Amino acid sequence: MEIEGLKPLEEWICDVCGDIIKSTNDWLEWETNNITDKDENFRLVHHTCKRTNDTNTLLKDLYIHRVLGNNGLAKLLNTLETLNPNNVSDFTEIIRRLHLPYYEEARQFLEEARINGEYFSTELTEEDCKYIIDEYSKAFL
């Protein structure tokens, strides 16, 4: 699903259903694997798309509104220090989605930009995101 025109830092794409998350009372969730003790599968989801615990994982979550703004960024960084992430880049991707303006919209075009030889690094700026949206969303107009 291609979603354009997201309100930066106010709307996100649900990692389960692909629809727009508009409520900050929806969730950032992840699992702790009971076997490896690793935190994994970080996702932004609607309340109705939340997972349930199973025997191999413990579900953890935070309301999106708790991880927004300066205090939210501090909360995420503090959380990172206490986590045992299976893959740190999965967690930093969540930080980009929640804190880098235009990233959530631009990320749907990142694969195409990389195929075209652009933006192999994760060091994207707000300006990079605006460029990607402007350049690559044209194909969907």
Side-chain angles (χ1 to χ4, degrees), residues 49-80:
C49 295
K50 279 181 54 95
R51 287 179 276 212
T52 56
N53 287 319
D54 65 36
T55 56
N56 293 323
T57 61
L58 173 64
L59 183 64
K60 297 180 181 179
D61 55 40
L62 290 166
Y63 283 114
I64 290 174
H65 69 80
R66 296 210 48 221
V67 292
L68 296 177
N70 292 334
N71 290 338
L73 180 57
K75 173 83 172 156
L76 286 170
L77 294 173
N78 292 336
T79 300
L80 180 58

Side-chain angles (χ1 to χ4, degrees), residues 12-16 21 23-32 39-51 58-68 72-80 83 89-99 104:
W12 302 271
I13 300 170
C14 177
D15 290 321
V16 173
I21 294 173
S23 171
T24 60
N25 287 322
D26 286 319
W27 300 94
L28 161 60
E29 69 173 14
W30 68 95
E31 302 168 342
T32 299
D39 294 296
E40 55 196 17
N41 300 321
F42 298 94
R43 311 185 317 170
L44 298 178
V45 298
H46 290 105
H47 180 73
T48 56
C49 295
K50 279 181 54 95
R51 287 179 276 212
L58 173 64
L59 183 64
K60 297 180 181 179
D61 55 40
L62 290 166
Y63 283 114
I64 290 174
H65 69 80
R66 296 210 48 221
V67 292
L68 296 177
L73 180 57
K75 173 83 172 156
L76 286 170
L77 294 173
N78 292 336
T79 300
L80 180 58
L83 287 176
S89 65
D90 289 345
F91 191 78
T92 58
E93 176 74 0
I94 290 292
I95 293 174
R96 282 185 202 89
R97 292 177 68 186
L98 292 167
H99 289 275
E104 184 71 357

